[in-house]
Amino acid sequence: MSDQLWSKSATELAGLVRSKVVSATEVVEAHLQRIEDVNPELNAIAVVLADDARQSARIADEKTRTEPDQLGRLHGVPITLKVNIDLVGSATSDAVPAFKDFYPPMNTPLVDRLLGEGAIVVGRTNMSEMGMRPTTDSTLHGLTRNPWHPGRTAGGSSGGEGAALASGMSALGVGNDLGGSLRNPAHCCGISTLKPTPGRIPWADSILPPDGPLSFQMMAVHGPMARQVADVRLGMEIMSGAHPRDPYSVDVPLYRADSNQPFKVAVMAAPPGAPTDPEVSSVVRKAGEAVAAAGYEVDEIDAPEYLETRQIWLDFLMTEVNVLQDLITEAMGPAGRQFLSDLFDHAGPLDLPGYIDLFVRRRRMSRVWNDFFQEYPVIIAPTWLDVAFEHDWDLKSVADTVDMLGPIQPANVLGLPAAVTFGGLAKGMPVGVQCIAAAFHDDQAMQVAEVIEAAVGATRPVSPFINAG
């Protein structure tokens, strides 16, 4: 069985180790071998923590023998962490040479929670420099390739996680999302994720600046990534909850009393403002049909004032990133600097009156969307308007890139949970279907994603490269 352990879900692996069908050592060795076999082609894992993982597996096996009633929910399960998440003994590099020797003094809270449940970190995954591009390429760790096609992006900025999970190098991963960085790789690599409501998972990393501007405080979130929605749920259950290091983190139940009950769902298969590839729209509509077949009432209708919501996100982010641009651009390589420069040319910062008015606009838009959620608790939409693009396509036209990623932006600026799961193929590449819900209704977003997954089938690891022609 050991040579197939890398293909199993985190939930399956935890059950096998707990029941002593396999040992944690066997599970870890299977994943380390998988990393050795496929990572040279993909470059998804930037730092392999083989020695630490083997030592942790030995400790886990001893605990299985001596304390079988004290095993955590991820006991013996290999996981990976993006390189901008604090893990003691491993650099929080943000994928730039300037931070390559930045070793954090303590773990971020979510890491302690995962380790406390028995997870074993086998590696750190690549990301775009400073998280500033929707693709994963960095001067420190190089280019990450999509396991479906070597010429296509794995998404960004958490593209290393997406590629590692999709190819079986890890059973569960953690990334973060300010502008789609969890959902972009899920779409490109055919896996599942949840961008949670801000405040659910504490944010307390030491990467400079540790607190960040208001846009980072209000929009940036950590979140779980996996091949199956059930593992995303498990990751959320473990990582959620208030922590004193994050003053905005909250204790809010993940599941509400009416969880798992059907409700009305809106389908926005072709968002306004820019053309959606017809094959992508078809996948989204089929996802809506699957949800309808499961007993939900489904209407095809656009989200309210969608284009204005997107504009608020862009204005907010670019006004504040402008303040940090010297720090950011100094650390980035030529491609990253070009992308950010082009982005400033496309959407310059607001003046002070415009910045103050931005929060008036955001407040009004939150009310408009909340009214919509009263009738349609979940919106099904594309994640991107097309499939994973070719490497460096984002450098050709920032305006086209911003439009391509348009569907991810409302959930960030309005603080909404958004799950993504594999919905099918278009042009031979995976399409992620996005399920957006009202704030703190993360369970409803995952619920609809799970219905789609049940109809399509949970993804299994792919071997590079199935579309190499």
Side-chain angles (χ1 to χ4, degrees):
M1 178 184 289
S2 61
D3 62 338
Q4 295 299 317
L5 290 174
W6 53 263
S7 70
K8 298 187 181 300
S9 70
T11 303
E12 289 175 308
L13 291 171
L16 290 170
V17 174
R18 189 179 301 112
S19 60
K20 301 182 182 179
V21 174
V22 296
S23 66
T25 296
E26 289 177 287
V27 172
V28 165
E29 289 296 340
H31 283 79
L32 291 175
Q33 184 61 53
R34 182 65 173 171
I35 292 169
E36 185 176 329
D37 291 343
V38 304
N39 196 54
E41 295 179 274
L42 298 176
N43 191 37
I45 296 183
V47 180
V48 181
L49 302 173
D51 291 343
D52 290 344
R54 288 185 172 113
Q55 180 179 357
S56 295
R58 288 192 291 268
I59 294 170
D61 287 334
E62 179 63 20
K63 187 170 184 177
T64 303
R65 288 189 293 271
T66 61
E67 302 177 76
D69 297 330
Q70 303 296 317
L71 307 182
R73 287 175 285 177
L74 288 173
H75 185 72
V77 176
I79 68 168
T80 39
L81 303 170
K82 190 175 176 180
V83 293
N84 67 349
I85 295 172
D86 286 349
L87 173 69
V88 170
S90 179
T92 304
S93 70
D94 228 5
V96 294
F99 294 162
K100 67 182 177 64
D101 295 321
F102 186 85
Y103 288 84
M106 64 186 75
N107 295 329
T108 196
L110 71 87
V111 171
D112 283 332
R113 291 170 180 176
L114 292 167
L115 297 179
E117 291 289 344
I120 296 174
V121 183
V122 294
R124 307 299 304 279
T125 51
N126 196 17
M127 60 180 286
S128 60
E129 296 174 328
M130 309 290 286
M132 286 289 140
R133 287 179 67 190
T135 188
T136 296
D137 191 4
S138 69
T139 49
L140 184 59
H141 299 305
L143 174 71
T144 294
R145 292 178 173 81
N146 190 314
W148 291 76
H149 193 296
R152 299 299 180 102
T153 181
S157 62
S158 311
E161 280 297 336
L165 289 159
S167 59
M169 288 188 267
S170 174
L172 180 70
V174 183
N176 25 64
D177 195 315
L178 175 68
S181 291
L182 288 163
R183 292 163 289 157
N184 300 336
H187 165 73
C188 293
C189 298
I191 63 165
S192 295
T193 191
L194 175 74
K195 185 209 83 67
T197 302
R200 279 211 182 270
I201 297 175
W203 184 289
D205 293 286
S206 57
I207 193 73
L208 300 175
D211 296 304
L214 190 58
S215 56
F216 285 57
Q217 295 175 37
M218 294 176 69
M219 296 197 295
V221 293
H222 293 305
M225 304 172 72
R227 292 186 294 274
Q228 298 183 14
V229 179
D231 288 346
V232 172
R233 282 185 181 273
L234 180 59
M236 279 299 298
E237 291 168 4
I238 292 170
M239 294 189 291
S240 295
H243 192 280
R245 289 176 59 202
D246 180 355
Y248 299 132
S249 59
V250 293
D251 283 320
V252 177
L254 185 58
Y255 303 112
R256 293 162 304 103
D258 60 349
S259 285
N260 297 319
Q261 297 299 311
F263 43 76
K264 290 183 72 173
V265 173
V267 173
M268 183 172 61
T276 305
D277 181 86
E279 290 190 43
V280 171
S281 292
S282 177
V283 170
V284 175
R285 287 193 177 97
K286 287 178 181 177
E289 292 168 3
V291 171
Y296 295 72
E297 184 179 344
V298 176
D299 294 327
E300 184 156 343
I301 181 174
D302 289 341
E305 299 190 46
Y306 169 78
L307 293 178
E308 169 63 5
T309 309
R310 285 187 51 206
Q311 188 62 48
I312 294 170
W313 172 84
L314 190 61
D315 289 344
F316 192 11
L317 187 62
M318 296 315 299
T319 299
E320 298 211 335
V321 170
N322 179 63
V323 177
L324 299 173
Q325 68 170 303
D326 289 343
L327 170 66
I328 293 173
T329 56
E330 183 178 349
M332 296 170 73
R337 287 197 295 269
Q338 178 191 328
F339 182 79
L340 203 57
S341 174
D342 291 348
L343 196 54
F344 280 121
D345 289 342
H346 173 67
L350 300 174
D351 59 16
L352 180 58
Y355 183 70
I356 293 171
D357 185 58
L358 183 147
F359 294 97
V360 177
R361 293 159 57 200
R362 180 183 180 274
R363 168 83 175 187
R364 186 184 73 82
M365 201 55 57
S366 293
R367 288 191 293 102
V368 169
W369 278 62
N370 272 349
D371 286 344
F372 188 81
F373 284 130
Q374 299 310 301
E375 183 171 4
Y376 297 101
V378 168
I379 303 167
I380 294 176
T383 307
W384 286 6
L385 302 184
D386 208 335
V387 297
F389 53 72
E390 294 179 354
H391 297 299
D392 288 340
W393 176 87
D394 60 316
L395 299 178
K396 296 179 181 179
S397 170
V398 162
D400 289 345
T401 302
V402 171
D403 281 342
M404 163 86 93
L405 277 61
I408 59 93
Q409 297 155 10
N412 287 111
V413 74
L414 299 182
L416 307 174
V420 171
T421 195
F422 174 71
L425 298 177
K427 306 175 184 176
M429 296 296 290
V431 173
V433 177
Q434 186 178 199
C435 306
I436 308 168
F440 293 104
H441 289 230
D442 307 59
D443 57 334
Q444 290 185 316
M446 291 187 288
Q447 177 180 329
V448 174
E450 217 156 30
V451 171
I452 296 168
E453 179 185 77
V456 175
T459 53
R460 308 297 291 177
V462 295
S463 294
F465 294 100
I466 61 175
N467 292 324

